[in-house]
Amino acid sequence: PVPGLHAFSVPWASAELRRLGFNRRAATTDRTVAADLIVAAGATYFARLRELQQAHQFHRSLIFNVDEFFVLLHDNSRFTWEKVAKGAKKNIAIAEDKLGFTCSVMTSMAGEVSCLQLNWRGKTADVHAKVENPSDKIFQSHRPESHFQNCSTWRSFIEFFLQKLVPIRQSVQQACGLAALPPVLLLSDRAPQHTAVKTMFPATAEWLHEMAVPPAMTHVFQPADMLVIAHLKQRASLEYAKWLEETVRQYPPHIAADIIANKRAPPADESGMTPVWNKLPYKRHLKYMCLAKAMQQMPQSVVEHSWAMAGAHRALFDETVLHTTGQKAGKPVSVVYDEY
């Protein structure tokens, strides 16, 4: 640790507390669902998927799942640290701090991250061309009053997705020798805006088919909730921690502390990025960069296994996806479909 700076670094403080024997106590989401309800919902859901596949013969490159999530690069607002020694408990709280952003991710059954959405709060200019790792797959939207999704931001994101779909459908049509452009299947949860794409875009009514994942069971049946979101959150947080360490190492403590607290931009460098930071909050560039790097580091196998774990491969194509490495090599990634 750099003398005089440790109080500004939540990750450093967390590491020190773990070293001293403390464990984090955090709030969790209760996803307890009765087994019989899951079985009943799974039977209906998978039967409907098979019916849709038999009727429309979807290509795996045109089967998509979309979900929203929040990335916490660091958060000290919802937990304390507890140490139990000789029957006595001791609690320590770090000064409250929170840094994160709201996203949506669209993946295909073919193992691709099709596109991502970053939803900002406040007046927002495009930072796509100004960051270290720009990506044409990241769409930026904003709301003046909130960073959470609403029908307006959802509509703009889906419009971006539909533009991305055009060359994919044309490619599948050509590769499969089809007379017409192929249909598309979109899986999502039951949020009202998520099940109204054809209402928002009537021109898609003949070829876009929507299917809702069973309510309160997305952690069982939705591909994004298997590995995709967890990977993006973990990689983005690691990129932030790497940036934090580099900032602490590169600058004197008083400058590093101001940069971490978003009170100043880093000094000018050869990239010429500093003038941009005078117009936009520096942390917004940092968040974008963390997400872009996380997406670039997403292995195709993570996406494929997420779809398999949710039972989609068995339901739609009667395929069993196997682990290829490690102790589980040769074993099914998931048997969730066969249980119904």
Side-chain angles (χ1 to χ4, degrees):
V2 176
L5 188 64
H6 57 272
F8 295 93
S9 170
V10 171
W12 180 89
S14 299
E16 281 295 287
L17 286 167
R18 287 193 180 92
R19 186 180 66 80
L20 295 172
F22 286 83
N23 295 307
R24 191 175 84 167
R25 301 194 65 182
T28 59
T29 301
D30 184 6
R31 289 292 187 91
T32 303
V33 182
D36 57 336
L37 295 179
I38 294 178
V39 170
T44 302
Y45 173 63
F46 287 131
R48 179 58 180 150
L49 280 181
R50 299 208 71 159
E51 289 175 3
L52 283 171
Q53 178 63 5
Q54 290 170 3
H56 303 286
Q57 296 298 304
F58 300 107
H59 191 278
R60 65 187 67 236
S61 296
L62 295 173
I63 301 173
F64 299 92
N65 171 232
V66 63
D67 195 20
E68 301 168 32
F69 59 103
F70 187 77
V71 177
L72 281 177
L73 298 178
H74 71 72
D75 177 20
N76 186 51
S77 61
R78 298 179 63 203
F79 62 80
T80 58
W81 293 80
E82 180 183 78
K83 182 177 182 180
V84 180
K86 297 181 179 180
K89 293 184 179 180
K90 184 178 181 181
N91 294 324
I92 291 180
I94 311 171
E96 184 171 324
D97 191 16
K98 186 174 183 177
L99 180 69
F101 50 90
T102 303
C103 303
S104 296
V105 60
M106 181 84 69
T107 64
S108 76
M109 195 175 181
E112 297 291 331
V113 178
S114 305
C115 52
L116 286 159
Q117 177 192 26
L118 262 173
N119 202 33
W120 303 115
R121 177 182 178 180
K123 298 182 66 174
T124 305
D126 186 7
V127 302
H128 163 262
K130 311 298 184 182
V131 296
E132 181 180 338
N133 284 284
S135 172
D136 60 0
K137 290 187 176 182
I138 298 180
F139 175 77
Q140 298 176 82
S141 56
H142 73 280
R143 292 177 61 191
E145 70 282 1
S146 172
H147 57 79
F148 291 109
Q149 191 89 268
N150 66 2
C151 286
S152 176
T153 57
W154 171 253
R155 179 187 176 90
S156 61
F157 175 52
I158 291 300
E159 190 171 16
F160 175 77
F161 166 65
L162 293 177
Q163 294 172 357
K164 293 282 185 184
L165 264 183
V166 174
I168 302 175
R169 295 180 71 207
Q170 291 173 342
S171 176
V172 171
Q173 180 189 19
Q174 183 177 7
C176 299
L178 302 176
L181 289 170
V184 174
L185 176 61
L186 178 60
L187 307 179
S188 64
D189 60 27
R190 292 179 180 266
Q193 67 269 25
H194 292 175
T195 55
V197 174
K198 289 194 289 187
T199 302
M200 292 179 175
F201 301 94
T204 67
E206 295 184 359
W207 54 267
L208 179 65
H209 302 270
E210 300 173 85
M211 180 72 181
V213 176
M217 302 178 194
T218 56
H219 61 298
V220 178
F221 298 113
Q222 179 158 251
D225 283 342
M226 300 299 108
L227 302 172
V228 172
I229 291 176
H231 178 92
L232 288 172
K233 286 185 174 184
Q234 182 186 53
R235 296 307 310 181
S237 296
L238 288 174
E239 289 298 329
Y240 174 75
K242 186 188 301 183
W243 169 84
L244 195 68
E245 293 172 3
E246 291 174 353
T247 301
V248 171
R249 183 172 59 251
Q250 186 174 359
Y251 301 107
H254 67 286
I255 294 179
D258 282 349
I259 293 172
I260 293 171
N262 202 26
K263 293 180 180 179
R264 72 162 77 188
D269 56 25
E270 294 180 0
S271 69
M273 291 176 65
T274 298
V276 177
W277 296 334
N278 293 332
K279 299 178 182 179
L280 294 171
Y282 167 63
K283 284 293 176 69
R284 187 162 288 171
H285 291 268
L286 177 62
K287 293 173 184 178
Y288 184 104
M289 198 155 44
C290 288
L291 182 63
K293 288 184 176 181
M295 181 185 65
Q296 291 170 352
Q297 296 168 13
M298 173 88 76
Q300 183 174 340
S301 60
V302 167
V303 182
E304 291 175 339
H305 283 192
S306 292
W307 281 85
M309 290 171 68
H313 283 269
R314 290 283 284 116
L316 291 164
F317 294 98
D318 200 26
E319 294 177 350
T320 300
V321 178
L322 304 178
H323 287 281
T324 56
T325 59
Q327 296 180 347
K328 295 183 178 180
K331 297 181 180 179
V333 170
S334 174
V335 294
V336 63
Y337 173 82
D338 299 298
E339 295 178 358
Y340 305 102

